[in-house]
Amino acid sequence: MTSTMLREIGEAAEAVGRQLGHNVDRLAELGARLRALDPPLVATIARGSSDCCALYLKYLVEIASGIPCASIGPSIATLYRTPMRLGGCVSVAISQSGRSPDIVDMQRAARRGGALAVALVNDVASPLAEETEVLLPLCAGAEHSVAATKSMVAGLAAGASLVAAWREDQQLADALSGLPEILRGQTAAPPTEMLEQLANARSAFVLGRGATLAIAAEAALKLKETCAIHAEAYSAAEVLHGPAELVESGFPVIAFLPSDAARQGMLPTLATLADAGATVIAIEAGGADDAHRLATAKVEATLLEPVVMIHRFYRLAEALALRLGRDPDRPRNLRKVTETL
Amino acid sequence: MTSTMLREIGEAAEAVGRQLGHNVDRLAELGARLRALDPPLVATIARGSSDCCALYLKYLVEIASGIPCASIGPSIATLYRTPMRLGGCVSVAISQSGRSPDIVDMQRAARRGGALAVALVNDVASPLAEETEVLLPLCAGAEHSVAATKSMVAGLAAGASLVAAWREDQQLADALSGLPEILRGQTAAPPTEMLEQLANARSAFVLGRGATLAIAAEAALKLKETCAIHAEAYSAAEVLHGPAELVESGFPVIAFLPSDAARQGMLPTLATLADAGATVIAIEAGGADDAHRLATAKVEATLLEPVVMIHRFYRLAEALALRLGRDPDRPRNLRKVTETL
């Protein structure tokens, strides 16, 4: 029987295609507003997987424009009740359900503080949508799996669309149009040998650099959630500063290797970890799968590589959960709506 | 024989006292400049433990002023070479050695981008000091332990001093003057039963909320570095979103419980984790140590609690390393200067 998680991974292509069609006009309008506003700062508001999506947006904004992007802790609004000073800034809230009370409160505080309030939300009939000036629906459709996949891919695509519209980046916009086709073609199961290597792991590192750091964080979250493997994300530039002390023979290191400037910085770190005994698995564009390599489809814009990579990775997480005798749709300690726990 | 780590934990009080005396005039001058500048954003530049210190500064700035604070990934300058747009902003670089090339490059890029470049540095004869307009020496003295402790406590105190001077917060300034005395009195070893509980752990969560999230991140790093325990930091508001799937009987959860508004938000989360089987250890001000509680000295300003708490925690990390038969001064995979790895 097919898991709900696997079925929804397969629906990501359709979700992205639907979203790109639906948001054309509002993206053009938002892009023009952002160029007129020329904000000194983008503030993001999100939790969990959506916060990984916010981190992707941060790298895109900073790489594309040099404008700094800050994740604002909801506690500033909900616990400390400090009025935020965000005059002339833009706030971007990201949420699948749009119902987490602290995210809604923080968006309200950002707007009161002077920010242009934008939101990337899947459920448009949500409280978050009401606190928002410019809504970008994710159009992922209802998501039933506890492990969010298609809404996450849709969120990443929405972030990239926002940046493409703002910066009038035609190359990124063109690459986005081709994304549904690329995701549709990416259906191969991960190699069995790779699953065997990972099946005995209690802990793991997931590495990225630049924009792939955002999906390393998301991948680590998914390995915890679906496989109960204690995977932790690190920048390849940080992992040798102290965390590397965990590495012993066979310790898995999963690396999201982009083809941009960050790649060359990651390779020596992976070699050092391999020397210390780590089993390194690379997720990268092109080539063929093998025991140490999960090959993703190629995409025309390097900034979109993280979207294609995490989509490919989701199949690994799902297959690994099954290999471990776990039901990816029924984690032991978790439910879909976190507030009720 | 006393470990270098333990000796340097004991030197933190003296370091903070020395720093407070040394920086009086430059803090007053910096405070006046920051009030005149009234920056829309504080950008921080740091890695490893220093990045945990930057996270503490972020909470202090946002709670005290509502001005957003963003950690800027050095890769934006070193790999992607995007010119940063930081006109009218302040950048704060934090580093013990002041020698990490990417931190130095990023500070240079921030300055070129228009930021007032401030640095918290222990080694004042460092390249980072040269790229900096306003230098706040940490005055921690030479640090020999691989696991930084006194320079970290000194960095947190410098961050709080910066905020006190900027906001002319006399209550925080007064509490800072009393900090060396409080740290000097905090010398008790952690309870043996607590060490026994932690000795079999492979993984752990370290939780904080608000400003204690910053030291949760630092504590998790230290448990990896000195004890090879895979400890990961989470906001108490995030941990139930997916990570909780790791929790099984006896899974350790170390919680830095502040006495401010964040406390009430943390308690139900700890109860949920305990119900799932977790062994919860709280680090909080006042009372007596027991198997589930590490008592810290009380401090007059709640924003300084994280400083006192992490200082108390360092003794736990050191004692646990010894209990595990490890030399806290000689990790297997790490060296003091990370660049050479």
Side-chain angles (χ1 to χ4, degrees), chain B residues 170-217:
Chain B
Q170 195 56 46
Q171 198 231 346
L172 184 54
D174 289 348
L176 271 161
S177 330
L179 190 57
E181 192 57 35
I182 288 169
L183 296 177
R184 204 168 291 124
Q186 202 170 237
T187 57
T192 311
E193 318 88 88
M194 190 178 283
L195 300 178
E196 291 307 317
Q197 280 180 347
L198 293 170
N200 294 317
R202 301 274 299 261
S203 277
F205 287 147
V206 190
L207 305 184
R209 185 88 203 265
T212 63
L213 179 58
I215 54 158

Side-chain angles (χ1 to χ4, degrees), chain A residues 58 71 224 232 245 332, chain B residues 58 71 224 245 332:
Chain A
K58 174 184 169 75
S71 169
K224 282 188 274 245
E232 185 172 9
E245 190 66 10
R332 294 167 307 178
Chain B
K58 174 184 169 73
S71 170
K224 283 190 273 245
E245 191 64 11
R332 294 166 309 178

